[in-house]
Amino acid sequence: MKLAAVTVDGVRRAGVVEEDSIALLSTTVDDIVRGAPMGTHGEVLPLAEVRLEAPLHRFNRDILCTGWNYLDHFLESSGKREGQGPAEMPLRPTFFTKGPDTVIGPSDDIAYDPEISAKWDYEAEIAMVIGRDGRSIPEEKALDHVFGFLVANDVSQRDLQRAHGGQWLKGKSLDATMPLGPWITTADSVDLTDMQVQCEVNGVLLQNASSAQMAFSFTRIIAELSHGMTLRAGDVILTGTPSGIGAAREPQLFLHDGDVVVTRVSGLGELRNTVTLTELS
Ligand code: MG
């Protein structure tokens, strides 16, 4: 099942997406993820006539993120981390967070303010949404705690990532910079073995990898992150980006006003966002 969020007559609603239509429900995706009943199916609208929003709007806390989860991405950045990070691929996943005010919808503009950063970069990723609270979740039970999967772009400001004590929070948390969606595909409808993760900028394919290349699996990420730390229904976890990011290319390639970024994961749908001059200061 694919669960999307739309606002109809001023009220935010969840909807079940099927082919070219969306059947509205009487509750929100945020509530369904936290265990609320789906409510009755109401009006059915053509998908082309609605503007999908980020599926989630109520966050328990920061978005939880995984760094360096594809070996080729770790290697492409070798010597380019400006003194930060380990020399060898870590034995355990790297975790960091980004603020929830980063989240935008699947066709919203990505805020771009060159006064704040000169190095806006893209990172196509698969995101997971937790559907059941748990702490110290063993790998074999990890998927029981996942409500579903969706597409994200962990847009990052590389100069800010380096400028604040080597802690990534600031370079990952500018407002209105992380597209999320286009809907949540529930875990029972996802084949995790070979999901293709892609990012295109202005029609040029710059990232293209399979989830099979992940160093740490979805279940390992949940097991490690939840070890002694409760994960709660509604938490969002990004699982890392493959190679092809702008900062590691030669020459480097950063995002600018007007660029069209398409982020796509097979089986989960695609996001299409335009980088747009926005005063953030
Ligand atoms: Mg990332």
Side-chain angles (χ1 to χ4, degrees):
M1 183 174 57
K2 298 187 285 191
L3 270 179
V6 292
T7 295
V8 177
D9 297 331
V11 179
R12 181 168 292 137
R13 311 260 299 266
V16 177
V17 174
E18 276 177 31
E19 307 267 320
D20 299 330
S21 67
I22 179 167
L24 301 183
L25 303 175
S26 51
T27 184
T28 63
V29 180
D30 292 289
D31 286 337
I32 294 170
V33 163
R34 290 169 176 81
M38 300 233 309
T40 48
H41 281 245
E43 209 177 342
V44 178
L45 301 172
L47 200 51
E49 285 181 20
V50 299
R51 184 178 177 86
L52 297 183
E53 301 171 0
L56 299 166
H57 291 82
R58 210 169 79 231
F59 296 93
N60 304 325
R61 55 171 151 196
D62 274 9
I63 312 298
L64 303 161
C65 305
T66 312
W68 297 323
N69 199 21
Y70 291 76
L71 181 61
D72 56 349
H73 170 52
F74 180 79
L75 294 175
E76 75 174 351
S77 304
S78 293
K80 297 172 185 167
R81 285 189 275 269
E82 297 170 36
Q84 291 186 355
E88 292 180 14
M89 185 73 179
L91 296 175
R92 291 179 146 187
T94 298
F95 294 124
F96 63 95
T97 71
K98 53 196 291 152
D101 287 322
T102 55
V103 174
I104 58 173
S107 58
D108 291 347
D109 293 339
I110 296 170
Y112 170 73
D113 187 343
E115 298 288 316
I116 291 181
S117 163
K119 294 185 174 179
W120 298 59
D121 206 346
Y122 49 86
E123 293 190 1
E125 307 203 14
I126 300 168
M128 307 187 268
V129 183
I130 296 296
R132 205 173 104 202
D133 296 1
R135 185 175 66 195
S136 299
I137 302 165
E139 266 200 74
E140 60 272 21
K141 292 194 174 159
L143 289 180
D144 297 344
H145 291 260
V146 178
F147 181 87
F149 295 83
L150 66 175
V151 186
N153 199 312
D154 177 21
V155 170
S156 308
Q157 291 71 35
R158 300 301 180 199
D159 41 6
L160 296 184
Q161 255 184 280
R162 317 278 185 244
H164 296 278
Q167 221 290 348
W168 294 352
L169 174 78
K170 186 67 196 293
K172 297 278 190 178
S173 293
L174 295 189
D175 288 0
T177 53
M178 186 179 84
L180 187 67
W183 40 67
I184 300 175
T185 303
T186 49
D188 57 349
S189 311
V190 178
D191 176 3
L192 297 175
T193 53
D194 182 19
M195 303 160 89
Q196 205 66 21
V197 181
Q198 298 182 328
C199 185
E200 282 179 17
V201 178
N202 300 329
V204 180
L205 187 63
L206 297 172
Q207 292 187 286
N208 188 18
S210 165
S211 59
Q213 296 169 249
M214 286 166 62
F216 304 106
S217 64
F218 299 106
T219 55
R220 175 84 187 277
I221 288 170
I222 289 172
E224 292 267 2
L225 191 55
S226 72
H227 192 212
M229 171 182 149
T230 303
L231 294 178
R232 297 194 184 281
D235 283 343
V236 178
I237 306 172
L238 269 56
T239 59
T241 200
S243 64
I245 63 161
R249 305 185 85 87
E250 292 175 8
Q252 289 184 320
L253 187 160
F254 293 114
L255 299 173
H256 295 97
D257 185 41
D259 287 345
V260 176
V261 180
V262 174
T263 315
R264 188 183 295 121
V265 177
S266 58
L268 301 184
E270 74 172 34
L271 316 169
R272 183 175 292 267
N273 306 85
T274 303
V275 178
T276 302
L277 201 57
T278 307
E279 201 172 312
L280 290 176
S281 52

